[in-house]
Amino acid sequence: MKWQRTVNSALSRYTGFQLNRVGKPESEPEVDIRRPADPKTDRLLDKPIFIMCPVRSGSTLLRAMANAHSQLHAPHELHVRRLEVGFGTKLSERAMEELGHNRADLEHLLWDRVLHRELVRSGKRHIVDKTPSNAFVHERIATCWPDARFVFLLRHPASIAASWKEASPDKRGPEEAVTDALRYMKAVERARKALPGLTVRYEDLTASPEAETRRLCEFLSLPWEPSMLEYGTQDVIRKGLGDWKDKIRSGKVQPAREIPQDVPEVLKPICKRWGYPA
């Protein structure tokens, strides 16, 4: 109605807000997530590597060890899946449609370009991303990069939950930490079932770092390098972009902590699926 448009126009002009009818969200509709139409043209990256992992699973350690390899660039958590593309006008949307692109296609082009730029700047051959939340969109990542390779990093679920609580004790208690960490574990398990890849256990990585990094290099068809065992000082150690604790600052692999004796009941099923004592 005309009066509603007039009121909304005035509200927007003077307050920056508008009235919207309940039940009609303003978010963009879902779009098709599809493979690149022409991989040779649409993708600059060749066989990117993604570490699918829960939070507090030792992923910063594995990332640092990988980054110490002369052919692997494993920067801090990149969160590229949060980069979004929007159409400023219907005309721009129609123009992209004529070129064969929907919103998801353009986001994939952006993701690929950002990672490729980072890889080129590093001077290495392969990029590794270990952002834990990638597990929630593993299907989209595999669709975006059909040649992607996946490494699944596991840790005893009770240790994950305990470390997640300790990471922000003022933000989450024991029960909240268990519930939140379990979301990531379930996402990783779904990814493991859906995608081929290599499974690495944090406990094995810390107990036998040479054997596990050799397995990783074999999976990636790369020669093993002893530099992976002493990864050195990290460029980015910051909460939200990876681990920032003293262990990772040491530059060397540290022993894993003792597994908690009391395993929360809700974690026992995934302990069993991952082959851990519960």
Side-chain angles (χ1 to χ4, degrees):
M1 298 177 68
K2 186 175 180 180
W3 70 267
Q4 291 173 322
R5 290 195 297 271
T6 301
V7 170
N8 256 341
S9 177
L11 277 172
S12 179
R13 186 164 59 251
Y14 292 109
T15 70
F17 296 99
Q18 286 189 351
L19 296 175
N20 292 311
R21 182 178 297 176
V22 175
K24 287 192 174 183
E26 295 298 316
S27 60
E28 293 184 85
E30 291 293 325
V31 295
D32 290 336
I33 307 300
R34 52 200 185 188
R35 295 162 69 93
D38 184 356
K40 291 184 178 180
T41 301
D42 295 346
R43 296 294 178 268
L44 298 175
L45 284 179
D46 179 42
K47 299 180 179 179
I49 301 155
F50 293 92
I51 299 174
M52 293 289 175
C53 55
V55 291
R56 309 304 300 171
S57 58
S59 60
T60 299
L61 173 63
L62 181 56
R63 178 202 69 74
M65 297 172 80
N67 193 56
H69 194 287
S70 63
Q71 298 186 44
L72 295 174
H73 179 49
H76 59 273
E77 294 172 14
L78 297 175
H79 300 275
V80 291
R81 80 177 187 91
R82 296 296 189 184
L83 301 179
E84 299 178 349
V85 169
F87 298 108
T89 64
K90 281 291 182 183
L91 186 60
S92 66
E93 183 174 7
R94 291 203 301 270
M96 291 300 100
E97 286 176 351
E98 286 298 319
L99 294 179
H101 304 308
N102 63 21
R103 178 168 54 85
D105 297 333
L106 295 173
E107 288 173 350
H108 291 171
L109 289 172
L110 173 62
W111 298 357
D112 184 74
R113 181 66 180 89
V114 169
L115 291 184
H116 182 263
R117 178 181 183 274
E118 178 61 23
L119 178 61
V120 170
R121 291 176 69 226
S122 75
K124 295 186 177 183
R125 289 183 55 197
H126 306 286
I127 195 161
V128 182
D129 183 18
K130 69 94 173 175
T131 308
S133 61
N134 281 342
F136 293 109
V137 292
H138 65 271
E139 292 176 334
R140 184 167 182 183
I141 288 176
T143 302
C144 177
W145 291 283
D147 62 348
R149 292 171 289 178
F150 298 95
V151 176
F152 305 104
L153 179 61
L154 309 184
R155 185 184 184 184
H156 194 292
S159 295
I160 291 175
S163 183
W164 192 224
K165 174 189 174 296
E166 292 169 4
S168 297
D170 57 335
K171 184 177 179 181
R172 60 182 76 90
E175 292 184 3
E176 291 84 0
V178 167
T179 301
D180 194 37
L182 184 58
R183 293 190 307 114
Y184 286 87
M185 297 181 222
K186 288 181 176 178
V188 171
E189 183 61 13
R190 290 192 295 269
R192 287 181 73 213
K193 289 181 178 179
L195 302 171
L198 174 72
T199 295
V200 176
R201 294 175 183 273
Y202 171 71
E203 293 82 1
D204 295 336
L205 184 65
T206 54
S208 305
E210 180 174 339
E212 290 305 298
T213 50
R214 284 185 180 275
R215 287 181 63 234
L216 176 64
C217 289
E218 182 179 1
F219 170 70
L220 299 176
S221 299
L222 295 173
W224 180 77
E225 296 180 359
S227 60
M228 301 177 77
L229 301 183
E230 294 201 17
Y231 51 83
T233 303
Q234 300 303 292
D235 294 334
V236 177
I237 301 179
R238 191 177 310 147
K239 191 172 183 178
L241 300 180
D243 197 355
W244 67 101
K245 301 292 186 179
D246 289 340
K247 274 190 175 183
I248 203 66
R249 293 177 186 273
S250 71
K252 298 181 180 180
V253 180
Q254 301 294 315
R257 60 198 250 173
E258 293 293 326
I259 295 173
Q261 294 298 310
D262 296 325
V263 177
E265 196 67 30
V266 71
L267 294 181
K268 290 184 178 180
I270 200 157
C271 285
K272 183 178 181 180
R273 285 197 292 273
W274 287 1
Y276 284 108

